[in-house]
Amino acid sequence: MPETMCPACDKKLATISGYNQHLAKTTNPACRDLYLASRQFHASPPAPDPQDDDQDMDVGDVPGPNQSPPHFEGDFFGTYAEDELEWPVEFDDGGDAGDMGNALTDEEDSDDDRDGPSSTAFSELVSIEGFSDTIGLSFKNARELNKIIDNELPGHPKFKREQIVIANEAFDVYYRDIIECIRSLFSDPNFADFLVFAPERHYANEDETVQLYHEMHTGKWWWNSQHPGATIIPILISSDKTQVTMFCNKTAYPVYMTIGNIPKEIRRKPSRQAHVLIAYLPTTRLEHVTNKASRCRMLANLYHACVGCVLAPLAAAGINGVNMRSGDGAMRRCHPLFACFVGDYPEQVLVTGVKTTQCPSCDVPSDELGLAAGAANYQPRNLDAVLDALSALDEGGLAFIRACAEAGIKPIVHPCWEGLPFVNIFKSITPDILHQLYQGLVKHILAWLSEACGGAEIDARCRHLPPNHHIRHFMKGITTLSHVSGTEHGQICRFLLGIIIDIRLPDNMSSARLLCAVRGLLDFLYLAQYPCHSSETLTYLDEALDLFHNNKDIFIDLGIRNSFNLPKLHFALHYTHMIRMYGTTDNYNTEYTERLHIDLTKDAYRSTNHKNELTGPTHHPHHRSRPPEMSFRHIQTMTKHPSVKAVKLDKIVDEYSAMYFRESLARYVAKVTLPANTTVTPQQLEDRAANVYLPFQTLPVFHKVKWVSVDVHGHGDALVTLDSVHARPGLPKPFTSDSVASRFDTAFINDGTGGPLGIKGYRIGQVRVMFSIPPKALSILFPPTVRPPKHLAYVEWFTALHAPDQNHGLRKVSRIIKNGEQIASIIPISNIHRSAHLIPHFGPTAPREWSSANVLDKCRTFFVNPYLDRHSFVTLR
């Protein structure tokens, strides 16, 4: 094909198409003029001459290399309309300039899709003449619509602004009427069927000797506060300063409120809107105050003055009561009482007024924070002594400061809880799973293990873990991570203990105490998150913490720590008492309000003019509860259609590594078709299987089975995938980085005698193939009286679970090899109970030839991971 040359720049091009694209995307002015001439010619073509059709240029064509641009009357190379200079879509084949235009367009489109039309665009739409009347709208612009939403639709009370004067300086606090906020939650018809109005005692046995604690109304606080004829409304307050921008350092200080009458399963879901944003506190740092002690004292007084303004209505309402109508229409005399404060350690110190490094609940000395329960000497803080010290304010500043110092608190003028009835703030500080455990103790233990075991070895073991639905693969390791979130710490905890078994310590020191310490901390973490506790499980919680304390000196012997005087470690001693008082820890987890920061604070700020982070967001049948079940409530589901419609049997053997698939399927058919109450020896079964003919050469294959949640409480919760098991071959690609590795998961398989909890009746197996027998073959293989399951699986077996190790507590399994052959069989997929995660027995050093994709084949001994989720922990511990 002859080359084509551009007449403007003499560039040689292979094809006419390439020449057209060159003109469309060029930056050369001469070529650009040539292209614009062709576009103008396309926009207003001259009348065609019917006698010269073959010689004339087609309308819209770019002039050829040997043709001159078409002649136009007047000065064409003048000023052009903007739409005449747009990049032509028809010439955009993904080149650089086109990519830039598309990228910008895609970004703008995505922003429009995310934010929706602007209020101006909406107003222009509804202001079209006759538009509002035609569709019956009662508003004509966005402002009128907002007025209807604010004034006529039911919702939370409006924000009010009040100035707080501290040290002759005024600060604004924006807040809602807390009584009206309580009323809006209490009367919400969405919660009417689930509200709790009285405390209850639940027991695990008929003798009523083992008490259960789960919802807040099963705790002792509600029983201690209850009075005949009164309806208690427990108030849960949480606060946490958060950043609302990435670069400008804009912060907000929201305060949230919810009520304990709403079940925790509803409160923990932001979509149910069971929390109310009741205040924005000032975020000033008082940088103009140069004295650090004075600045800290002023900030504390500012906080308490603002929160006291918000909580002040609770003083009279808590004693006298308030008439409130619940969502079911019944009128009740309600007493809203401050019950719990939920926050991180700095917030706990701030609200209680104690000094940093001290426990907000008890008077333990700072140098005894790291001691176990039996060794530490502490008593609950004396509220009466604190109130007496606060009353010394009338005696003068110096006397007030001395009295507060003797009582163990900071000199705070009228703390926000001082006038609230039936409140002991030191007993209202609740456990904080997110910050105390995940972002506190787990963060510390990771740093200690990295120093003790070596970061390179720990990271290598992370990369070699087999895949699982619950396991996140940290392919770059975990020791070099920065800004690790609580969620990521939780993901690391799922395999942390397993990867340090048999790891080499400095000076060949025994790892027994290290394993016990890590095991104790992880057990405490998982036990603390039980949705239902009993008198017995609370004993296990204390025992797990004692196991850590009894072995934590290993870190001192390794030269990593000098002491363990950490307030978050000490507060773990209070968990058992707080669960008995207020129910399980999922009643007051700060993780719930972390999500509210996004919905109620950050998104609200982004919808404003970004000049003031406070004014914008401020405009934005009773039944007896049941204890949560610890069993794995789920529904097993398969896809309607197979992942691959027809896989040859040879391919199943080779690519799915199902070496004895034909023999196992024949053995299954022979066993299923045995007459009822017939017993045969293994050899007789083999002889019977030898006569089975498989009337097919291909099978439909499924690559995944999953389990979805069950709405046990009837709250209308959406189905969520709880677990899954994959069995699929690899997918090679030209580039190694694009290839998909094979994945054949392991699972707990019920032998027919397994129950909802415990390991009895369960074995570990690796699922190689999940398939269905073609309908046409069923009548050939099975008699009419036998109806085989629709879905079957080929499984390779592991040994029975061993007893837990005395140090790390994990159970060991290994592959069953007989005469050099892997033992396998066909089972109904319904027998697969859930996924199992096996951690390889690495030894002192992880073999470098192992990988996540091949470790299940190369390693022969494994430890069953009990930390996948709560059900795994309950089952294997």
Side-chain angles (χ1 to χ4, degrees):
M1 182 180 293
E3 291 184 343
T4 302
M5 180 179 294
C6 175
C9 64
D10 297 332
K11 182 177 181 179
K12 294 181 179 180
L13 300 139
T15 63
I16 291 294
S17 176
Y19 170 67
N20 292 341
Q21 295 175 15
H22 161 70
L23 288 184
K25 300 175 182 178
T26 184
T27 57
N28 187 309
C31 299
R32 179 67 178 162
D33 292 342
L34 187 63
Y35 168 72
L36 291 175
S38 69
R39 297 300 295 162
Q40 183 71 12
F41 179 73
H42 172 66
S44 54
D49 187 351
Q51 298 179 356
D52 297 330
D53 285 345
D54 296 337
Q55 298 179 1
D56 286 351
M57 185 186 306
D58 291 337
V59 175
D61 284 350
V62 179
N66 299 320
Q67 294 175 297
S68 299
H71 175 71
F72 294 91
E73 294 184 0
D75 184 9
F76 172 73
F77 302 102
T79 304
Y80 304 92
E82 185 176 354
D83 58 349
E84 295 175 338
L85 300 179
E86 289 181 351
W87 229 241
V89 177
E90 58 267 35
F91 291 123
D92 184 8
D93 66 339
D96 293 342
D99 286 346
M100 290 175 62
N102 286 342
L104 180 60
T105 303
D106 291 342
E107 182 179 350
E108 292 172 350
D109 288 345
S110 64
D111 288 344
D112 292 341
D113 292 341
R114 180 181 67 249
D115 297 335
S118 65
S119 59
T120 302
F122 179 79
S123 297
E124 291 175 353
L125 173 65
V126 298
S127 62
I128 297 175
E129 185 176 356
F131 182 86
S132 298
D133 297 334
T134 302
I135 62 176
L137 298 181
S138 60
F139 52 87
K140 295 183 179 180
N141 51 52
R143 179 172 297 180
E144 292 182 4
L145 175 60
N146 290 335
K147 282 186 176 181
I148 295 174
I149 295 174
D150 291 339
N151 300 327
E152 299 183 19
L153 294 182
H156 299 313
K158 292 184 178 181
F159 275 88
K160 299 182 290 185
R161 185 180 72 171
E162 185 163 331
Q163 285 193 337
I164 304 295
V165 179
I166 299 292
N168 297 323
E169 186 172 355
F171 300 93
D172 290 335
V173 55
Y174 295 82
Y175 68 98
R176 287 172 164 140
D177 187 328
I178 190 171
I179 300 298
E180 293 304 315
C181 290
I182 296 170
R183 193 188 305 275
S184 68
L185 289 177
F186 194 76
S187 61
D188 193 327
N190 293 320
F191 307 142
D193 293 338
F194 310 107
L195 286 182
V196 177
F197 305 108
E200 298 174 1
R201 289 190 178 96
H202 295 176
Y203 297 92
N205 56 356
E206 295 182 357
D207 298 335
E208 298 187 353
T209 56
V210 180
Q211 188 170 352
L212 298 178
Y213 304 94
H214 44 97
E215 293 286 352
M216 193 169 183
H217 66 277
T218 64
K220 295 181 179 180
W221 177 88
W222 203 321
W223 280 103
N224 296 338
S225 305
Q226 183 66 43
H227 294 281
T231 299
I232 300 298
I233 300 183
I235 307 301
L236 289 79
I237 299 293
S238 59
S239 67
D240 185 18
K241 186 180 294 186
T242 185
Q243 189 168 315
V244 295
T245 61
M246 294 297 292
F247 306 107
C248 299
N249 201 26
K250 291 277 188 178
T251 59
Y253 208 153
V255 180
Y256 305 104
M257 184 273 300
T258 187
I259 59 178
N261 309 80
I262 303 174
K264 60 183 181 180
E265 287 295 323
I266 295 178
R267 279 188 277 122
R268 71 181 182 88
K269 295 182 175 67
S271 61
R272 302 302 295 269
Q273 300 181 4
H275 285 78
V276 179
L277 174 63
I278 59 171
Y280 280 108
L281 307 182
T283 58
T284 178
R285 297 181 181 179
L286 300 180
E287 295 176 346
H288 64 283
V289 180
T290 57
N291 186 280
K292 184 178 179 180
S294 299
R295 183 168 63 249
C296 292
R297 188 161 49 249
M298 288 180 62
L299 286 173
N301 281 285
L302 175 62
Y303 175 88
H304 281 273
C306 294
V307 176
C309 176
V310 177
L311 301 182
L314 294 179
I319 296 176
N320 302 325
V322 179
N323 289 332
M324 291 189 183
R325 194 179 301 276
S326 57
D328 58 1
M331 183 68 73
R332 292 177 169 85
R333 190 67 176 175
C334 300
H335 296 258
L337 300 180
F338 183 96
C340 299
F341 178 82
V342 183
D344 192 7
Y345 179 71
E347 306 289 331
Q348 295 173 355
V349 169
L350 184 60
V351 74
T352 56
V354 303
K355 297 180 180 178
T356 306
T357 72
Q358 291 184 342
C359 175
S361 295
C362 69
D363 60 0
V364 62
S366 298
D367 57 355
E368 295 184 8
L369 290 171
L371 299 182
N377 181 23
Y378 62 88
Q379 295 292 330
R381 291 188 178 272
N382 190 334
L383 178 64
D384 293 334
V386 171
L387 293 177
D388 291 341
L390 294 174
S391 64
L393 179 63
D394 298 334
E395 301 176 9
L398 185 59
F400 176 64
I401 293 175
R402 289 176 177 174
C404 290
E406 292 177 359
I409 63 169
K410 299 174 183 177
I412 299 174
V413 178
H414 300 304
C416 59
W417 39 264
E418 183 181 19
L420 300 182
F422 314 112
V423 174
N424 185 337
I425 190 62
F426 306 112
K427 294 182 179 180
S428 298
I429 303 300
T430 57
D432 180 8
I433 296 292
L434 176 62
H435 296 101
Q436 288 176 348
L437 299 186
Y438 282 120
Q439 295 291 69
L441 300 185
V442 172
K443 181 179 179 180
H444 287 305
I445 203 74
L446 284 174
W448 302 343
L449 289 176
S450 177
E451 189 173 348
C453 307
E457 180 63 25
I458 290 178
D459 293 342
R461 296 180 180 220
C462 291
R463 291 190 289 269
H464 296 161
L465 292 174
N468 183 273
H469 176 85
H470 302 276
I471 294 296
R472 173 180 173 180
H473 271 258
F474 294 86
M475 298 309 295
K476 294 184 179 180
I478 60 176
T479 61
T480 58
L481 296 175
S482 60
H483 305 291
V484 185
S485 66
T487 300
E488 290 170 327
H489 276 137
Q491 293 165 341
I492 292 172
C493 288
R494 295 175 184 176
F495 56 78
L496 182 61
L497 180 59
I499 64 174
I500 63 172
I501 295 175
D502 291 341
I503 202 167
R504 184 178 289 117
L505 295 181
D507 301 326
N508 292 322
M509 189 178 297
S510 172
S511 63
R513 287 187 297 159
L514 179 71
L515 295 173
C516 288
V518 176
R519 172 191 173 187
L521 184 60
L522 291 179
D523 285 358
F524 180 86
L525 172 66
Y526 277 71
L527 285 164
Q529 297 180 79
Y530 272 17
C532 180
H533 267 289
S534 69
S535 310
E536 296 176 351
T537 58
L538 289 177
T539 302
Y540 300 153
L541 186 66
D542 291 335
E543 291 175 351
L545 188 60
D546 289 339
L547 181 63
F548 170 79
H549 280 291
N550 294 338
N551 294 275
K552 67 179 185 291
D553 287 347
I554 180 66
F555 297 107
I556 295 178
D557 297 341
L558 289 169
I560 297 173
R561 294 289 302 180
N562 294 322
S563 68
F564 296 90
N565 293 324
L566 306 171
K568 294 181 179 181
L569 175 60
H570 166 77
F571 200 88
L573 299 177
H574 298 304
Y575 272 51
T576 299
H577 172 72
M578 301 306 292
I579 290 173
R580 287 193 173 100
M581 290 295 294
Y582 298 105
T584 49
T585 57
D586 52 355
N587 279 287
Y588 34 78
N589 194 343
T590 54
E591 189 175 356
Y592 306 156
T593 54
E594 290 290 330
R595 173 63 200 179
L596 296 177
H597 287 334
I598 300 175
D599 294 339
L600 301 182
T601 302
K602 297 181 181 180
D603 286 350
Y605 170 79
R606 290 167 188 147
S607 66
T608 67
N609 58 10
H610 295 188
K611 295 180 180 179
N612 190 322
E613 59 266 34
L614 292 179
T615 58
T618 58
H619 291 285
H620 194 75
H622 177 54
H623 66 286
R624 184 178 177 86
S625 62
R626 296 178 298 173
E629 296 188 16
M630 302 297 286
S631 60
F632 186 48
R633 298 294 299 274
H634 63 279
I635 299 174
Q636 187 184 75
T637 62
M638 299 285 293
T639 57
K640 181 178 180 180
H641 302 288
S643 305
V644 184
K645 292 183 178 179
V647 180
K648 294 182 178 180
L649 298 184
D650 292 340
K651 190 174 182 179
I652 289 178
V653 173
D654 296 335
E655 296 188 7
Y656 290 80
S657 300
M659 300 300 296
Y660 308 104
F661 179 79
R662 290 186 178 89
E663 297 81 354
S664 298
L665 183 54
R667 193 181 305 114
Y668 174 78
V669 172
K671 185 176 181 179
V672 170
T673 55
L674 283 172
N677 302 322
T678 302
T679 303
V680 296
T681 64
Q683 185 58 47
Q684 289 174 331
L685 184 62
E686 291 293 336
D687 295 340
R688 185 180 176 90
N691 297 323
V692 174
Y693 168 71
L694 302 180
F696 44 77
Q697 291 300 318
T698 62
L699 287 174
V701 171
F702 301 82
H703 286 169
K704 181 171 70 172
V705 56
K706 65 180 182 179
W707 291 264
V708 297
S709 59
V710 178
D711 186 12
V712 179
H713 303 281
H715 295 163
D717 299 335
L719 297 182
V720 179
T721 300
L722 299 176
D723 199 5
S724 64
V725 169
H726 297 250
R728 54 171 170 75
L731 184 62
K733 292 292 184 67
F735 297 98
T736 305
S737 59
D738 296 334
S739 299
V740 178
S742 60
R743 177 173 172 180
F744 301 100
D745 290 350
T746 52
F748 284 97
I749 298 173
N750 192 340
D751 64 5
T753 63
L757 288 176
I759 62 173
K760 184 179 179 181
Y762 290 95
R763 295 281 294 275
I764 301 291
Q766 185 178 16
V767 182
R768 288 289 186 180
V769 186
M770 293 180 284
F771 63 96
S772 290
I773 297 177
K776 293 182 179 180
L778 293 177
S779 60
I780 301 174
L781 293 174
F782 304 96
T785 57
V786 176
R787 299 189 63 179
K790 182 178 179 180
H791 300 101
L792 301 171
Y794 174 87
V795 175
E796 295 178 349
W797 295 104
F798 288 77
T799 58
L801 297 170
H802 293 190
D805 183 85
Q806 63 177 355
N807 293 323
H808 53 70
L810 272 59
R811 301 172 186 270
K812 185 183 294 186
V813 295
S814 56
R815 289 187 176 274
I816 301 179
I817 307 294
K818 186 176 181 180
N819 299 327
E821 298 179 354
Q822 171 71 54
I823 301 300
S825 61
I826 302 292
I827 64 166
I829 282 184
S830 58
N831 285 11
I832 302 177
H833 183 55
R834 56 155 301 147
S835 70
H837 187 237
L838 302 184
I839 299 178
H841 188 183
F842 291 105
T845 305
R848 294 307 186 251
E849 65 273 15
W850 289 1
S851 69
S852 178
N854 65 24
V855 68
L856 286 174
D857 296 324
K858 290 185 175 294
C859 183
R860 285 293 174 261
T861 305
F862 302 86
F863 297 102
V864 183
N865 189 353
Y867 297 107
L868 276 187
D869 57 10
R870 185 173 64 240
H871 177 261
S872 294
F873 182 79
V874 174
T875 300
L876 296 168
R877 279 300 196 211

